[in-house]
Amino acid sequence: MSSTMAPNVRGVGTPGKRTVYSLCGMCAVRCPMEVTVQDGKVAWLQGNTHDAAIGASLCAKGAAGIAFENDDQRPQTPLIRTGPRGGGQWRRASWDEALDTIADKLKETVAAFGPRGIALSDRGGPFTDLTRTFVQALGSPNYFNHDVTCAGNGHNAGVSIYGFGNEALIPDMGNAKHLVLYGRNLTESLMVKEAKAFMAAVAGGMRVTYIDPRASVTACKAHRYWQVRPNSDYALNLALIHEVLKQEAYDQDFVERFVTGMDALRAAVKDTTPEWQEPHTGVPAAQLRAFVTEIAGQRPRVIFHPGWFTARHKQSFYVTRTTLILNALMGNLEAPGGLVIAKVAEQVGRKSLKPLAARAPKVEEPRVDGAGGARPQWDPHSGALHQLFAALESGKPYGMGAYFAYRHDPITALPDTEALKRALDQLKLLVSIDVRYSETGWYSDVILPESTYLERANILAQLPGPVPVFAMRDQAIAPRFDSRPAWWIFREILHRMDIKEVLDFETIEELWSYQLEGTGVTVADLRETGIVRLADAPKVTPRDQLRFPTPSGKIEIESDRLKSAGLSSLPPYEPKQAPTGDRFNLLFSKTATLAHGQSLNNPLLGEIAPEQCLWIHPDRAAPLGIRDGDEVEISGGGNYVGRLKAKVTPWIHREVVFMLHGYGATVPLATRALGVGVADQRLQHGKLYDFDPAGGGCALTETLVRVQPAAKQGATA
Amino acid sequence: MSIYILRHDEANCIACHACEVHCKTNKQLGPGPAPCKIISTGPIDVGGQPRMRFVFMPCFHCEEPWCVKACPTGAMQKREKDGIVHVQSALCVGCKSCIAACPWGTPQWDPATNKAVKCDYCMDRLDAGLQPACVTKCVTGCLSFGVANEVPDPRRERYARYLFAEPPGGAREAP
């Protein structure tokens, strides 16, 4: 038997009907799911009914998992590039050859730059123990998640004030009286459980205030919609805090016991009155006052949603920071209708999964992006990926030679494709490990086809929450092509680098048993229900035991960590100039049927994806001669020019145009998505190294574009 | 009409289009036919707030279905016991008369089989004691199904709650 035989082909094609528990893989939310397998084929997918929060529900993307599985337009064997990078010339390779090629290039990289010259990025989530362990075992500190284009600013803001990232805050919408959303478009940037809880809470009488330059579907479900100027939400928050303090609309007892730095807060918002913010945000001062009066009667059951995607502008970090201050002022932490702090196993008297990372020696090298070192404000567990590319171009602070993009497509996710490709050109080795043809895959040296989420098992996941759980993605069916699961791929690469012990598991069951050691939970338990709850009921921390993992044990409005980075804890608002003429800020988002660049090539999702159009306000469209339905040209300053139809509507701010993200793909083998629509990331020209210095997140919504009517085909001058 | 009602509670819908894909995967349909469809319009201004309309279009399962009358082969049928209008695929010759006859454009053309296909409330699932695919997996639970008059109408309950819960500030809106 060859050493590279697939470990996931046995025992899954048996006749008859069975139920397999899994976690959906059609977007990064990874909803708990049950798979009905009939004679070795997927017959039905639905939510895992053992998790009451989701029930049988599944979104369009989740349901389209069957179409994805049956699609041939995905990598079917390892591929090795034969022409120039991005040239689209490949040859099929055996796993042995592909893995040997990778190991040779890794050895070259280590010889030139040391082990620290190897990097990997993924999309975060519950399975990163594997990817982190792989990078650590190689001797590199340079693991990255995707957070510079997602939650990084918010996460780091959370750490600076509460001592943990804001992903550990779970809104208790079912008991809330008012939810405030800063562009958190939770009916379209869809997480099934969250959307379900939201709509149930709205039906039950929860009030919703939605803040966004564009009226999304979520705005249409809200009771109050503020069409703010782009990137002005920090000014809004400073004024909200001013008014909350002025009206004494805050929980004085909570603040006295659990918050430090109130004097600094009062000083920072002394002059940020409702009138002061009005020209910055466009929100009438009287409306802001009325809002504060309303929530004064509703607290502590008022939630200011800390958001997920916060890679917006260069003060986004402070937007989340002040949002978290507003929650503290409401006194809503660990209170019904407020923010529940997610618990890990140990907090409910149980034991966490045993980390794979414990099997690899610690790496003491500083990170290439400075996270946790020269940049103490950035969490070294997630890093800041654009700084990998900066290092590739400059060779500083040290040289990098190899990069694994694991189920991550930085060329679609990060701004300015041309700049990014220039950086990637410096690599000795670029590997894409994926279930589909991504833009990054097409630019890489080796594509390793991972088995799909239905064809593979993952390492076990542990999800902190009101009740922490362990979750299993078990293998449902045999792989259709010559693909492998990630744990096996990383093990095989390590073996070729003579690192044998760290991932030395023969089967996924053996690996799971290691993870479960001492937890009191068995593989059989997880196979039975997919999800194992580690407590019977949510545990609410009694007020006298509430402590935050900060140096003072309290919520810290002034942060020493920020001070040590030379950053203010609450800087003044930086006013934004309004773009005029044919210039606009470019905003982007998705719909409930789209997951970034992943969905358009799916036969069932592509057909229901909306035609991409450019939202533009009538008052700005008219002087440019643009009418509803006209074709327009949009450019971001680089060579790339997009053409799409205008949607002229007052439900977008005058300073902004908007389009959907995930379009404009260029991979020829993904024929259904090829050339459909415009790639907003290619309009974000010059933005690759433009980021919020405090949070590290990209400043994507600061992108300025030019819009003009498209030149008529065949028109004469 | 069939004895059933497939109710769409628009206020609780987010136009996520999951119902369309749930339906298609149960019928093993590829691109093209859409036995049910969510049609969105807006946003428009309603009392100063942005509002969208979401209209759910499955089959109405008419009492005297135009499609059944138009079908020359007897493939389009109304089931005796519960009034479900469905296509018996083996009898369908793909003439598209049903598609032309239906006032709402409900029957769909399946290019994979060259036959008509339509919403049949997932008869296969009903007969197995289950709910239609779209209802079973709806994200928000805005779709409900059952024998007419036996399933509670969420709108009445919501209206009652609305009368009871007067929000502060007086700015309230009909549900």
Side-chain angles (χ1 to χ4, degrees):
Chain A
M1 187 170 97
S2 158
S3 68
T4 51
M5 278 285 281
N8 55 337
V9 293
R10 287 185 300 270
V12 285
T14 45
K17 191 171 179 174
R18 58 201 180 91
T19 299
V20 178
Y21 292 99
S22 182
L23 297 169
C24 183
M26 293 297 285
C27 83
V29 177
R30 305 172 179 94
C31 290
M33 187 179 72
E34 52 189 76
V35 185
T36 306
V37 180
Q38 178 76 52
D39 301 329
K41 291 214 158 48
V42 175
W44 179 253
L45 299 172
Q46 68 171 37
N48 182 346
T49 51
H50 293 289
D51 183 344
I54 193 162
S57 296
L58 213 55
C59 77
K61 290 164 286 183
I66 296 181
F68 170 68
E69 179 59 39
N70 295 332
D71 191 3
D72 289 351
Q73 290 191 5
R74 50 187 172 99
Q76 301 183 7
T77 69
L79 295 170
I80 296 178
R81 177 170 66 81
T82 57
R85 274 209 175 110
Q89 290 149 284
W90 302 92
R91 66 183 171 79
R92 290 174 174 229
S94 68
W95 277 93
D96 271 324
E97 186 192 0
L99 294 166
D100 288 346
T101 303
I102 289 169
D104 288 348
K105 291 285 181 188
L106 286 180
K107 284 171 189 163
E108 263 180 51
T109 298
V110 171
F113 305 112
R116 66 186 184 177
I118 303 169
L120 176 145
S121 70
D122 64 18
R123 298 170 302 154
F127 303 121
T128 59
D129 186 22
L130 178 67
T131 38
R132 290 173 197 281
T133 301
F134 171 69
V135 177
Q136 188 182 324
L138 287 166
S140 169
N142 292 313
Y143 161 86
F144 299 84
N145 70 15
H146 68 309
D147 260 1
V148 288
T149 54
C150 191
N153 285 327
H155 171 85
N156 286 320
V159 174
S160 79
I161 180 166
Y162 286 179
F164 48 73
N166 57 357
E167 66 278 3
L169 297 166
I170 319 285
D172 176 20
M173 286 190 250
N175 293 302
K177 291 187 173 166
H178 203 137
L179 177 67
V180 184
L181 300 165
Y182 298 80
R184 170 66 199 124
N185 183 10
L186 40 66
T187 59
E188 293 186 276
S189 294
L190 187 68
M191 301 163 72
V192 173
K193 286 193 212 179
E194 187 189 48
K196 233 175 146 71
F198 171 71
M199 290 309 293
V202 169
M206 179 181 75
R207 299 265 297 167
V208 180
T209 294
Y210 184 78
I211 302 157
D212 192 332
R214 179 185 75 106
S216 63
V217 170
T218 309
C220 295
K221 296 294 180 186
H223 305 87
R224 179 190 281 107
Y225 167 56
W226 281 340
Q227 189 184 73
V228 288
R229 291 186 61 210
N231 305 327
S232 68
D233 37 5
Y234 184 45
L236 181 71
N237 269 1
L238 290 173
L240 284 172
I241 294 171
H242 173 98
E243 192 60 20
V244 165
L245 295 177
K246 183 157 181 240
Q247 291 192 25
E248 298 195 344
Y250 62 100
D251 185 333
Q252 301 196 12
D253 174 62
F254 183 89
V255 165
E256 215 162 275
R257 289 170 68 185
F258 301 110
V259 181
T260 68
M262 284 298 286
D263 290 344
L265 182 65
R266 287 179 198 282
V269 301
K270 189 162 85 52
D271 301 321
T272 60
T273 62
E275 280 72 20
W276 165 82
Q277 63 82 45
E278 190 169 320
H280 293 304
T281 68
V283 175
Q287 285 189 25
L288 190 148
R289 283 204 175 85
F291 165 80
V292 172
T293 305
E294 183 187 333
I295 59 169
Q298 296 164 330
R299 71 168 174 78
R301 295 174 188 264
V302 177
I303 302 169
F304 291 82
H305 197 297
W308 290 106
F309 171 83
T310 45
R312 291 176 177 152
H313 54 82
K314 289 200 274 294
Q315 289 194 311
S316 279
F317 174 90
Y318 294 107
V319 176
T320 308
R321 212 161 186 276
T322 44
T323 303
L324 296 176
I325 290 173
L326 282 162
N327 284 302
L329 293 174
M330 296 297 106
N332 72 7
L333 286 132
E334 291 289 87
L339 291 169
V340 179
I341 301 172
K343 315 291 184 304
V344 298
E346 281 70 15
Q347 288 167 293
V348 295
R350 301 290 292 269
K351 196 165 170 299
S352 291
L353 293 176
K354 196 167 173 186
L356 295 168
R359 299 164 67 93
K362 285 227 168 357
V363 175
E364 304 295 343
E365 291 280 351
R367 291 181 56 94
V368 74
D369 56 9
R375 283 164 164 140
Q377 72 275 27
W378 297 351
D379 188 343
H381 288 96
S382 37
L385 185 58
H386 45 69
Q387 290 306 293
L388 166 66
F389 306 126
L392 280 170
E393 296 220 64
S394 68
K396 288 175 188 154
Y398 51 79
M400 299 293 299
Y403 172 35
F404 292 84
Y406 169 58
R407 292 284 290 110
H408 184 211
D409 186 9
I411 293 182
T412 300
L414 272 83
D416 199 341
T417 303
E418 283 71 28
L420 185 51
K421 285 182 174 173
R422 275 198 301 276
L424 295 176
D425 284 341
Q426 306 304 314
L427 285 165
K428 292 177 185 296
L429 175 69
L430 173 58
V431 180
S432 166
I433 305 172
D434 211 330
V435 297
R436 66 182 191 97
Y437 292 116
S438 71
E439 297 290 309
T440 307
W442 204 245
Y443 205 68
S444 63
D445 306 322
V446 182
I447 297 177
L448 297 180
E450 189 183 19
S451 302
T452 69
Y453 68 102
L454 296 164
E455 299 168 343
R456 73 171 187 263
N458 277 58
I459 66 168
L460 296 175
Q462 54 187 353
L463 309 168
V467 173
V469 300
F470 293 160
M472 173 184 273
R473 177 186 277 162
D474 200 358
Q475 183 184 348
I477 54 169
R480 288 186 58 225
F481 303 117
D482 189 18
S483 62
R484 298 288 187 274
W487 67 269
W488 181 95
I489 294 172
F490 292 127
R491 183 193 78 179
E492 288 299 309
I493 295 170
L494 290 183
H495 274 205
R496 282 165 175 75
M497 298 299 286
D498 293 319
I499 302 161
K500 294 215 170 21
E501 308 76 32
V502 177
L503 288 179
D504 202 13
F505 302 101
E506 279 306 307
T507 63
I508 192 69
E509 286 84 0
E510 199 183 302
L511 193 160
W512 287 341
S513 299
Y514 166 84
Q515 289 185 285
L516 287 169
E517 265 174 42
T519 63
V521 177
T522 66
V523 170
D525 295 338
L526 278 156
R527 281 212 157 118
E528 188 71 26
T529 53
I531 297 270
V532 170
R533 293 158 62 92
L534 300 180
D536 292 332
K539 185 191 156 194
V540 179
T541 315
R543 272 288 147 90
D544 56 3
Q545 290 171 25
L546 188 58
R547 271 187 67 81
F548 292 83
T550 55
S552 65
K554 294 189 176 191
I555 293 170
E556 295 187 341
I557 288 173
E558 283 194 293
S559 156
D560 283 343
R561 203 162 98 125
L562 291 178
K563 207 176 283 173
S564 73
L567 294 162
S568 167
S569 286
L570 286 167
Y573 174 67
E574 287 165 13
K576 311 291 184 294
Q577 265 207 317
T580 56
D582 61 356
R583 308 268 281 177
F584 297 83
N585 277 88
L586 175 64
L587 298 189
F588 57 89
S589 183
K590 52 190 172 186
T591 70
T593 58
L594 294 171
H596 311 292
Q598 288 187 73
S599 310
L600 269 186
N601 203 53
N602 183 292
L604 295 189
L605 296 176
E607 71 166 342
I608 55 172
E611 182 184 1
Q612 192 190 34
C613 56
L614 191 73
W615 293 43
I616 184 170
H617 193 279
D619 291 354
R620 297 292 305 285
L624 296 171
I626 295 168
R627 291 159 308 174
D628 190 46
D630 281 357
E631 198 163 49
V632 295
E633 276 181 6
I634 182 167
S635 59
N639 294 328
Y640 182 75
V641 177
R643 284 171 82 114
L644 71 175
K645 272 190 191 149
K647 176 186 169 97
V648 179
T649 168
W651 295 107
I652 182 144
H653 195 277
R654 284 167 180 75
E655 296 170 22
V656 165
V657 288
F658 165 87
M659 66 166 71
L660 289 171
H661 172 69
Y663 290 70
T666 67
V667 180
L669 294 184
T671 60
R672 292 176 292 260
L674 177 65
V676 177
V678 177
D680 61 302
Q681 70 273 15
R682 297 179 71 184
L683 298 167
Q684 293 160 351
H685 183 72
K687 305 295 285 179
L688 182 56
Y689 305 121
D690 197 32
F691 55 89
D692 180 334
C698 293
L700 299 177
T701 61
E702 291 184 10
T703 300
L704 286 175
V705 291
R706 281 207 143 86
V707 178
Q708 58 184 61
K712 295 261 186 313
Q713 300 280 332
T716 50
Chain B
M1 300 286 277
S2 85
I3 63 169
Y4 303 114
I5 183 163
L6 173 52
R7 185 179 281 128
H8 177 233
D9 178 16
E10 186 187 356
N12 199 19
C13 175
I14 56 172
C16 71
H17 298 270
C19 47
E20 298 175 25
V21 184
H22 297 324
C23 166
K24 291 185 64 153
T25 54
N26 190 53
K27 292 201 164 357
Q28 295 171 19
L29 297 172
C36 71
K37 194 93 197 141
I38 289 278
I39 315 283
S40 304
T41 51
I44 57 162
D45 187 324
V46 178
Q49 294 296 314
R51 290 293 178 259
M52 293 180 81
R53 290 299 310 262
F54 309 129
V55 180
F56 179 60
M57 294 288 285
C59 175
F60 298 140
H61 298 270
C62 307
E63 181 60 26
E64 290 189 42
W66 282 262
C67 58
V68 172
K69 289 182 181 166
C71 178
T73 66
M76 193 66 81
Q77 302 173 3
K78 190 173 148 193
R79 187 155 86 160
E80 189 72 29
K81 69 170 178 180
D82 53 14
I84 288 179
V85 179
H86 64 104
V87 191
Q88 197 174 336
S89 191
L91 297 178
C92 178
V93 294
C95 71
K96 307 190 187 74
S97 297
C98 55
I99 297 173
C102 174
W104 297 279
T106 295
Q108 299 284 301
W109 177 251
D110 183 0
T113 58
N114 289 329
K115 293 184 180 199
V117 61
K118 71 178 286 295
C119 165
D120 57 7
Y121 287 153
C122 295
M123 272 163 54
D124 56 321
R125 291 179 56 83
L126 294 191
D127 293 347
L130 301 167
Q131 295 255 302
C134 59
V135 175
T136 304
K137 299 200 275 182
C138 174
V139 166
T140 65
C142 72
L143 294 176
S144 53
F145 180 85
V147 173
N149 294 337
E150 285 181 14
V151 274
D153 191 329
R155 291 168 298 184
R156 286 184 173 178
E157 292 178 26
R158 190 165 51 240
Y159 188 69
R161 271 199 308 274
Y162 151 77
L163 291 176
F164 183 72
E166 175 87 27
R172 73 174 193 177
E173 186 189 344

